[in-house]
Each structure stands twice: as C-alpha cells, then as structure tokens.
Amino acid sequence: MTKPRVFIPHRISEKALSLLAEHCELDYRDVEEMLDEEAFFAGLQEACGLMVYSRHKITPDVLDRAPRLRIVSNVAVGYDNLDLRELTARGIMATNTPDVLTETTADLTFALLMATARRIAEADRFVKAGEWNEWLPSLMLGKDVHGAVIGIIGMGRIGEAVARRAKGFGMRILYHNRTRKTEAEQSLDAAYVSLDDLLRRSDYVVVMTPLTPETVGFIGKRELGLMKQDAILINTSRGKVVDEQALIDALMEQRIGGAGLDVFATEPVQKGNPLLSMKNVVTLPHIGSATRETREKMALKAARNMIAGLAGEKPENLLNPAVFSH
Ligand code: DGY
C-alpha cells in the first residue's frame, strides 16, 4: 500500500521525523528558514499532509495549491495562522499542539515579567558596556514582584500555569476570562474580576488570550488608559491582541510603567519600531515555547496528529471536528 505523502517545509526533530517516516512518504526540507513561495507551492502539489509552524499563513490561496491536502498539522498551540473556516469548508483537518508547551511558556512569561520589573536586560547591557563605574543607592531601581497584584487576561492552560508561579511569589491574583474557573479560584486564591477592574487594580497585566477576530486590539487605548501609571504590561500571546500604536503612545506619554513583549503586531518586529528604543520595554523574538525539550514534544505531538489524521482516525488535537464527522 502506498503511504500518504507529507510535506514538511522546515527542520523538525529526528524523533518526529522517524515516527512520521514509518507511516508516511516524506517530502522533507531540512532548513530552518522559510522556503521561498515557489518551493513551498511546489511542495503543496502532491501533499496529503502539511506540517507548519505558526509563521506559515494557511490561506485560501495556499489551499488552492494543495489539491490533495487532508490535514494541516500546526506545530504551535495558537492557530490564528490557519483559516479554520476555509479548511473546514474544504474538508481538511487542522490540528495544534496544546499542553506540551504550557509550563515552558509560563516559565518564559514569568521570566519576562521579572526581567521587566527588575530591569534585568537593561542592567546586563549596562554592565557589559562598561558603564558600571560606581555602586549607587538608586542604581537600576525596579519594581517589586512579590506581594504585587497580577492580572491575568485569558485564564486558559498557560494563564493558570502563570498564576501558579505568581502564587509562589506571594502575588495577589486577579483574572478575567470568558468563563469563570472556579477550581483555579480555589486552588490559587485567584479572584475573577471584570476586565476594567483588572486593569485598574493590577501592578502587572499579563495578556494570555488567543488571537481571534474578537480579540484583535482587545487591549487598546481605553484599556491602557485604565492601567496604573506604574503598571507593567506583559504579552506572550499574540502581538495583535494589543493595539501596538496605542501601547507605544501610552509608553511614550508615561501613562504606564513599562512592557515586556515576546510578540508583536508584525513579526519579526520592524527595525524602526519605537518599542525597540524604549528602556522600560523588554523585547523578545517570540520564544515562549522555545526550549529544546518542548520543541521536541511539540514536533512529536504534531507528528502523531498527522499520522492519526492520515490513517482516518480522529487526531487528538483536532481543531475542526466537523470535518471528521463528514
Ligand atoms: C504557539 O505555540 O502558539 C507559539 O506561540 C509558537 O507559535
């Protein structure tokens, strides 16, 4: 029996590759960089399965080039890069990789919060630039994390994992979510509050909500205007959830205290972006889930989803179950 053909336009772990090779015929490109459009489209021609990172936008135009496609396996938990409605309409399965990156992304979120609060990146640059000539009492004064109020917008798996870390730091936890999480409220002493209440009361506002048509610009001028003047905004979800221009304005006018950003409206962030020259803004290149262990687990999960889908089974992380019931 011929094996279904899977197109993998980027490097993945050896383990995931061998697992896939047992079940599929692979069109594998061992490269880190994005393929150019011509090579990508050529690979789509014969593909029954396609594995992508979230940097690949799967649009109707892309799908038009993939007449045999049955499944798109996203190596990411966020799936705003997939046109789910279009995939469903065409009967193509879509999957993602939740759970395996929860703790890793929460670690990075908390590291970013700490780095922004305590000016870690700025202090490191200062020392390495040879500018540390004298110890001064007011040198690199930051903001306390312990005992402060953290407000988590989007209490999903990663939001809860951030809250667990915050509890360990003795922080008071507020959260806002579409649905209440009563278990988390009890185990983490987290208080459910309205969005406005969260913004007014938090010392650290952590944006964890996925990007959907409803959450584009969810944190805009009005919301930033409600934050305390020394509050810090942390975003490790998707850049477009925050209105980036409104954030730049709020920082420039010193209406908030700072920001820690792993994600941007446009990625990679453009060189002239004013956020890059602000001392009170810590910027990272979208590395929330970027550890060796977690990338391996994500690739394996994506491989298993792919194998199940192509075998006619329901993948564990199917995003559009309507396709499966057809
Ligand atoms: C995710 O898994 O969604 C990460 O942000 C990587 O895209």
Side-chain angles (χ1 to χ4, degrees), residues 54 76-78 101 238 286 289 298:
S54 53
V77 64
L101 47 67
R238 288 291 184 267
H286 199 148
S289 60
M298 289 166 74

Side-chain angles (χ1 to χ4, degrees), residues 53-55 75-79 97 101 236-238 263 286 288-289 295 298:
Y53 289 115
S54 53
R55 64 186 179 180
V75 196
V77 64
Y79 51 90
T97 60
L101 47 67
T236 53
S237 64
R238 288 291 184 267
V263 288
H286 199 148
S289 60
R295 279 290 144 78
M298 289 166 74

Side-chain angles (χ1 to χ4, degrees), residues 60-95:
D61 188 37
V62 168
L63 295 174
D64 285 346
R65 322 266 171 161
R68 302 178 59 193
L69 200 60
R70 283 153 49 197
I71 178 166
V72 176
S73 175
N74 213 29
V75 196
V77 64
Y79 51 90
D80 47 281
N81 58 315
L82 307 180
D83 187 333
L84 213 51
R85 191 186 303 185
E86 191 63 31
L87 283 157
T88 308
R90 295 179 189 223
I92 301 169
M93 288 177 267
T95 59

Side-chain angles (χ1 to χ4, degrees), residues 156-178:
R157 287 168 287 237
I158 304 175
E160 281 192 34
V162 170
R164 284 198 294 279
R165 284 153 181 78
K167 188 171 189 219
F169 272 78
M171 299 180 90
R172 167 114 178 82
I173 303 164
L174 307 178
Y175 80 98
H176 181 73
N177 200 47
R178 271 182 312 181

